[in-house]
Amino acid sequence: MPADRDHPDEAPQDRARAADARTAAPRADLRWPDQGTRPPTTQAFVLDALRRAITSGSLPPGRPIRQDGIAHDLGVSRVPLREALKTLEAEGQVVYRPHRGYAVAELSLDDLVEVYRIRELLESEAAGIAATAFTEADLARITDAAEDVESAAEDGDLVGMIAANRRFHFALLEPAGMPRLMRMVRTLWDATDAYRAVYYNATANRARVRDEHSAIVRAAAEGDAEKLIAELSTHRSHAIDSLRETIT
């Protein structure tokens, strides 16, 4: 009878190997930074905690997700943890391997290039339309998010930088008024969040992001669709070029 994916049957030697792996692998940092901002429900809390760990690199690509240890560290049962893992699996952030359990998803370079190519097609369409529709409120949100990215980078706050960067890019694209397209873009971003942590770990890349964001903000303020699309394309290309040296 096949093992249930939520409660797999394990032989004693398998349990022993799992225990050894838990001991050998560095523990993910699942501490919540500010209890005042903790999500109101247990399921949302677990999901956000896992996302933060993946985004920050505390749970890097390929790392097995030890459910017992994570549930203990978060002070929750395995029920909300399983639900969070199913959500992350649907988003492409974790994968389930029969008889081995969940692990953080890994992308090959070819996979990553494909994701960024699809992003370019979708985001260019949205950016071209948004550039003709920006309001003062839209431009304020874009500028505020860019400043938050820079502040987080100066503080060495990798998670904060990644979160602000996401706000920045979606503030640029959402004024296009294309919700179906944006849902597809969000899925693509979710699948590659762990690799942003790899990219932002380098000081030179953080400085490059600051300069490129400034150019993007100027193009948005000018309402220049062609320039905005070109600046965003350059921004994505530099990320891919850097990650080529990291991903095999």
Side-chain angles (χ1 to χ4, degrees):
M1 182 176 181
D4 179 82
R5 65 187 281 165
D6 288 335
H7 302 281
D9 295 326
E10 294 180 314
Q13 61 268 33
D14 293 331
R15 289 195 293 272
R17 282 195 295 268
D20 290 342
R22 282 193 294 272
T23 301
R27 297 289 288 270
D29 185 359
L30 296 167
R31 292 171 296 177
W32 197 259
D34 181 356
Q35 290 300 315
T37 64
R38 176 171 165 157
T41 68
T42 300
Q43 187 169 337
F45 162 63
V46 174
L47 182 58
D48 280 5
L50 287 174
R51 281 183 171 145
R52 291 177 68 88
I54 291 170
T55 299
S56 69
S58 181
L59 280 174
R63 172 72 60 81
I65 295 174
R66 308 299 181 190
Q67 294 189 43
D68 287 340
I70 288 177
H72 177 269
D73 290 348
L74 291 176
V76 300
S77 73
R78 288 185 57 174
V79 174
L81 177 57
R82 287 198 299 268
E83 292 303 313
L85 289 170
K86 289 175 182 176
T87 298
L88 292 173
E89 183 181 21
E91 294 174 354
Q93 296 202 64
V94 303
V95 294
Y96 180 79
R97 298 165 177 164
H99 310 299
R100 296 168 64 187
Y102 286 99
V104 180
E106 292 182 280
L107 293 181
S108 68
L109 181 59
D110 287 344
D111 290 332
L112 196 66
V113 169
E114 181 180 3
V115 168
Y116 270 69
R117 175 57 180 152
I118 298 169
R119 272 188 54 198
E120 181 173 7
L121 295 171
L122 297 177
E123 292 180 13
S124 295
E125 178 70 14
I129 295 171
T132 66
F134 288 135
T135 65
E136 289 300 318
D138 292 331
L139 293 173
R141 280 193 293 272
I142 292 166
T143 301
D144 288 347
E147 291 173 353
D148 288 344
V149 172
E150 187 168 350
S151 296
E154 290 173 353
D155 293 341
D157 179 4
L158 196 61
V159 172
M161 186 180 180
I162 292 171
N165 178 68
R166 187 182 183 107
R167 290 197 306 274
F168 172 74
H169 282 271
F170 282 88
L172 284 162
L173 302 176
E174 287 170 346
M178 305 178 75
R180 291 179 184 271
L181 184 149
M182 293 310 301
R183 284 197 293 271
M184 290 187 281
V185 172
R186 285 190 182 89
T187 298
L188 296 169
W189 272 69
D190 290 339
T192 55
D193 260 347
Y195 293 88
R196 286 184 189 87
V198 175
Y199 181 60
Y200 289 153
N201 262 327
T203 302
N205 290 340
R206 293 196 295 272
R208 177 186 293 157
V209 165
R210 179 195 60 206
D211 293 341
E212 290 173 353
H213 280 190
S214 295
I216 291 167
V217 169
R218 287 194 297 272
E222 293 166 6
D224 189 329
E226 186 174 342
K227 185 177 179 182
L228 179 58
I229 291 169
E231 295 291 357
L232 286 169
S233 179
T234 297
H235 189 46
R236 285 186 296 265
S237 295
H238 283 161
I240 283 292
D241 289 345
S242 176
L243 289 169
R244 286 182 194 276
E245 302 173 6
T246 306
I247 301 173
T248 56

